[in-house]
Amino acid sequence: MPNYYPIMLNVRDRLAIVVGGDTVAAEKATNLSACGARVTVQNATFCEELLDLAQQQKVMLLHKAYEPGDLAQAFVVVAATHDPALMEPIWQETQQRNQLVNIVDEPARCNFILPSILRRDQLTIAVSTEGASPSLAKRIRQQLEKLFPPAYGVYLRLAGTVRTHIRKQGLSYEQRDEFFGDFFDSQVLQHLTDNQREQALAEIRSLLERYNIDVPEATIEAEMREAV
């Protein structure tokens, strides 16, 4: 039986507090900021990476050692600390408020853990060993990078654009499923990976015509300008 229930968490415009000042804290803060969170990093001192993030206005730095009560407004808390004197009060404070908390490398003091993540724009692949070996999870994710090239970003944006028009045109679920099966089996992704935009466009045209789907060519071309 799995120990964790995987979810995708919306942190946009939510307060995330990262306790710590080293490169691990910088990594956690960077990832939260990239997903739209309002990130405050709290510690007495900060590494260069965090100072740079603050300079870019991606995070706010609070030059202050953690004290109980500091996490009151946080939606999610990440503690990048190995100090037992900090771990326990952070855990206790977050539990009193039912907050989401991850204390790095301390799964017993986490109500969520962070997977190794592969992103290709709207495609997100998370790899977790449920805390057994984060290093192994990272290597599995690196293997997946070869299977899911950067062109997947454009490929999925094209699929999303076509899906919007399909829904407006009232195709049945079965027709939609059949279309995307053919889209998946086509050479569109390979053409995008090889930077063969004209070939990719021609194949998409052919698929759309086969299913009588009307998508303005300018719309498709606009998405493909980002092609790898």
Side-chain angles (χ1 to χ4, degrees):
M1 178 183 295
N3 295 316
Y4 292 92
Y5 181 70
I7 63 172
M8 304 292 280
L9 187 66
N10 184 357
V11 296
R12 294 182 190 90
D13 296 320
R14 300 273 200 158
L15 176 61
I17 295 180
V18 178
V19 180
D22 61 8
T23 55
V24 175
E27 177 192 354
K28 307 305 181 186
T30 298
N31 291 336
L32 285 163
S33 177
C35 293
R38 294 182 289 111
V39 183
T40 293
V41 185
Q42 178 171 342
N43 204 54
T45 60
F46 299 103
C47 65
E48 287 297 323
E49 288 88 342
L50 282 168
L51 294 173
D52 289 343
L53 287 172
Q55 182 69 28
Q56 299 168 40
Q57 298 185 332
K58 293 182 177 179
V59 305
M60 184 179 78
L61 301 183
L62 182 59
H63 293 259
K64 176 183 180 296
Y66 164 77
E67 293 178 327
D70 288 345
L71 309 176
Q73 304 303 316
F75 175 65
V76 60
V77 175
V78 176
T81 176
H82 297 288
D83 184 353
L86 288 180
M87 292 179 189
E88 188 59 28
I90 289 172
W91 172 249
Q92 291 299 330
E93 179 176 353
T94 55
Q95 293 314 286
Q96 289 168 11
R97 297 191 179 91
N98 293 317
Q99 291 166 299
L100 293 166
V101 60
N102 176 278
I103 299 179
V104 175
D105 292 335
E106 289 287 326
R109 288 186 174 90
C110 300
N111 54 27
F112 74 95
I113 59 174
L114 295 165
S116 184
I117 296 174
L118 166 63
R119 292 191 190 277
R120 299 294 189 230
D121 288 0
Q122 292 170 308
L123 175 65
T124 300
I125 299 175
V127 180
S128 173
T129 58
E130 299 199 341
S133 178
S135 181
L136 184 57
K138 179 181 74 173
R139 284 162 173 78
I140 294 170
R141 186 257 301 161
Q142 289 170 340
Q143 282 189 325
L144 290 172
E145 288 175 354
K146 302 170 186 175
L147 297 176
F148 296 90
Y152 255 95
V154 180
Y155 179 66
L156 283 175
R157 287 201 300 274
L158 287 167
T161 296
V162 172
R163 179 174 180 266
T164 298
H165 285 79
I166 284 176
R167 294 181 70 180
K168 289 178 180 178
Q169 293 168 38
L171 270 71
S172 68
Y173 174 83
E174 290 75 15
Q175 289 173 310
R176 282 181 270 167
D177 188 60
E178 186 178 348
F179 171 84
F180 283 110
D182 287 343
F183 184 80
F184 183 80
D185 291 335
S186 74
Q187 292 298 305
V188 171
L189 176 61
Q190 188 60 55
H191 290 320
L192 292 171
T193 301
D194 295 338
N195 200 25
Q196 298 173 337
R197 301 187 189 188
E198 289 303 319
Q199 291 90 327
L201 182 59
E203 185 134 8
I204 293 170
R205 277 198 217 102
S206 176
L207 280 169
L208 294 173
E209 289 172 3
R210 190 187 313 166
Y211 286 86
N212 295 315
I213 300 169
D214 181 25
V215 182
E217 192 160 307
T219 301
I220 296 173
E221 289 176 341
E223 294 290 358
M224 291 180 59
R225 290 192 190 107
E226 301 282 337
V228 179

